[in-house]
């Protein structure tokens, strides 16, 4: 299966980068030297590593994963990443399936009626692990549809639903259930993160945000840090900086315009915090990224 998946992925990624496909929600990624580092907001998704190895850092936690691993991203979260040892002959290859929350919630309700609630909640935004051959077979059937657009329109949604179902049945499924449940601390934190994603340019009151999701401030802080490996204020700042970087890279904004666009009032403060986050001041960082031909802000993979 892996060899066929690798061949299909290479066929549909003729150059470096991340590419949407004819199947809604499915994207493919290929990275080599010079395209090995980046920063992004990992969106709620399932990612499958076809070849190579990668390191992702979320807050103060590092994840290393590679070939045949599955990643479950339960909530949107800012991250930096670097592929390990990718070359032209052996590029890092992966695919990602965006999660449709309505479909997922329907499946969770059915599974809870059968199995009950999970016994051991998983509170981290990113979970990594192995999945069985049934999952990979469904992924392969989905990938085979890339050259069959008529069949893809009918069959792809059913296969994606099957992939959700099979991952939910695996140990990694606990994370998906917790963050998409109607109740529980993880679900409350997921709601808070959704609010922050929509309102990153607004000032943040942690007490008001905690109140909005019906949690005490200290409890909210503790659960938020468990999920994101960041405090709410750190998460808010990181969202702003990642969005500013995206605006400068993809919309050619200058640093000052991007600074104000994401809610900063002081360009000097923005420059300091940007350098602390990404290692270089805005102008030098964006110039370097463009000079190396990197597209940092791509979908989760």
């Amino acid at each position: 299966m892996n060899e066929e998946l690798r061949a299909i992925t290479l066929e549909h990624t003729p150059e470096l980068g991340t590419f949407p496909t004819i199947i809604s929600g499915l994207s493919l990624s290929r990275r080599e030297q010079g395209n090995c580092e980046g920063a992004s907001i990992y969106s709620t998704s399932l990612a499958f590593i076809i070849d190579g190895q990668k390191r992702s850092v979320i807050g103060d936690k590092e994840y290393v994963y590679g070939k045949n691993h599955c990643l479950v991203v339960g909530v949107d979260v800012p991250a930096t990443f670097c592929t390990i040892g990718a070359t032209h002959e052996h590029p890092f290859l992966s695919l990602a399936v965006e999660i449709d929350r309505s479909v997922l919630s329907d499946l969770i309700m059915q599974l809870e009626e059968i199995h009950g609630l999970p016994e051991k909640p998983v509170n981290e935004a990113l979970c990594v692990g192995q999945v069985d051959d049934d999952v990979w077979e469904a992924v392969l059937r989905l990938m085979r549809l890339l050259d069959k657009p008529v069949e893809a329109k009918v069959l792809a949604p059913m296969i994606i639903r099957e992939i959700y179902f099979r991952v939910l049945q695996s140990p990694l499924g606990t994370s998906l259930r917790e963050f998409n449940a109607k109740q529980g601390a993880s679900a409350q934190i997921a709601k808070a993160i959704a609010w922050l994603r929509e309102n990153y340019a607004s000032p943040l009151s942690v007490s008001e945000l905690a109140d909005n999701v019906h949690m005490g401030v200290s409890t909210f802080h503790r659960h938020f840090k468990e999920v994101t490996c960041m405090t709410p204020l750190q998460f808010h700042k990181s969202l702003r900086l990642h969005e500013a970087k995206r605006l400068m890279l993809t919309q050619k904004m200058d640093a000052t315009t991007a600074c104000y666009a994401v809610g900063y009032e002081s360009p000097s403060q923005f420059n300091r915090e940007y350098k602390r986050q990404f290692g270089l001041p805005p102008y030098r960082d964006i110039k370097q990224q463009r000079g190396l031909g990197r597209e940092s802000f791509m979908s989760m993979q």
Side-chain angles (χ1 to χ4, degrees), residues 15-20 28-42 54 81 83 242-243 245-252 285-286 288-301:
E15 56 187 19
L16 305 181
T18 296
F19 304 89
L28 308 177
S29 181
R30 175 176 179 169
R31 290 183 175 275
E32 301 174 6
Q33 307 104 315
N35 182 247
C36 62
E37 299 178 7
S40 185
I41 296 175
Y42 284 4
K54 187 175 180 181
F81 55 83
T83 58
H242 277 76
E243 176 63 12
K245 185 168 185 173
R246 186 192 69 80
L247 291 172
M248 289 185 285
L249 277 171
T250 64
Q251 298 188 24
K252 307 297 190 289
D285 182 44
I286 299 305
Q288 181 183 78
Q289 297 268 336
R290 289 175 180 158
L292 291 171
R294 296 177 184 163
E295 180 55 79
S296 296
F297 282 84
M298 301 173 179
S299 62
M300 158 56 214
Q301 288 164 13

Side-chain angles (χ1 to χ4, degrees), residues 2 31 109 119 181 193 207:
N2 183 266
R31 290 183 175 275
M109 288 178 63
E119 297 178 357
I193 289 172
S207 60

Side-chain angles (χ1 to χ4, degrees), residues 61-207:
K61 185 159 185 177
E62 179 180 281
Y63 301 82
V64 178
Y65 46 91
K67 183 177 178 179
N68 295 331
H69 275 115
C70 172
L71 279 70
V72 175
V73 185
V75 291
D76 295 358
V77 63
T80 57
F81 55 83
C82 180
T83 58
I84 302 171
T87 66
H88 180 70
E89 293 75 18
H90 297 285
F92 175 86
L93 302 173
S94 64
L95 64 93
V97 179
E98 294 179 8
I99 289 177
D100 183 323
R101 289 187 179 274
S102 63
V103 175
L104 183 65
S105 296
D106 179 56
L107 285 170
I108 290 171
M109 288 178 63
Q110 294 181 46
L111 289 172
E112 287 176 349
E113 290 174 1
I114 300 170
H115 301 293
L117 293 171
E119 297 178 357
K120 296 180 180 180
V122 176
N123 295 319
E124 294 181 7
L126 179 64
C127 290
V128 182
Q130 302 279 352
V131 287
D132 62 26
D133 286 348
D134 288 339
V135 178
W136 285 105
E137 287 172 2
V139 170
L140 179 56
R141 281 188 275 114
L142 182 68
M143 292 285 280
R144 285 171 176 164
L145 294 176
L146 291 177
D147 294 319
K148 302 174 181 178
V150 175
E151 292 184 20
K153 288 182 180 180
V154 177
L155 298 178
M158 290 187 280
I159 297 175
I160 289 174
R161 184 183 177 91
E162 178 187 348
I163 292 171
Y164 293 172
F165 170 77
R166 295 195 180 281
V167 174
L168 281 168
Q169 295 280 65
S170 76
L172 291 175
T174 306
S175 174
L176 285 181
R177 293 190 192 200
E178 284 297 294
F179 288 117
N180 290 276
K182 293 182 178 180
Q183 300 179 3
S186 296
Q188 290 169 288
I189 296 302
K191 291 176 184 177
I193 289 172
W195 187 91
L196 286 168
R197 289 282 280 123
E198 292 293 324
N199 299 277
Y200 61 84
S202 302
L204 173 62
S205 168
V206 176
S207 60

Side-chain angles (χ1 to χ4, degrees), residues 265-285:
E265 297 180 356
S266 167
S268 60
Q269 180 186 1
F270 170 74
N271 288 341
R272 286 195 305 272
E273 294 184 353
Y274 188 100
K275 182 177 180 181
R276 192 177 301 122
Q277 177 85 27
F278 299 115
L280 291 171
Y283 174 78
R284 288 177 57 195
D285 182 44

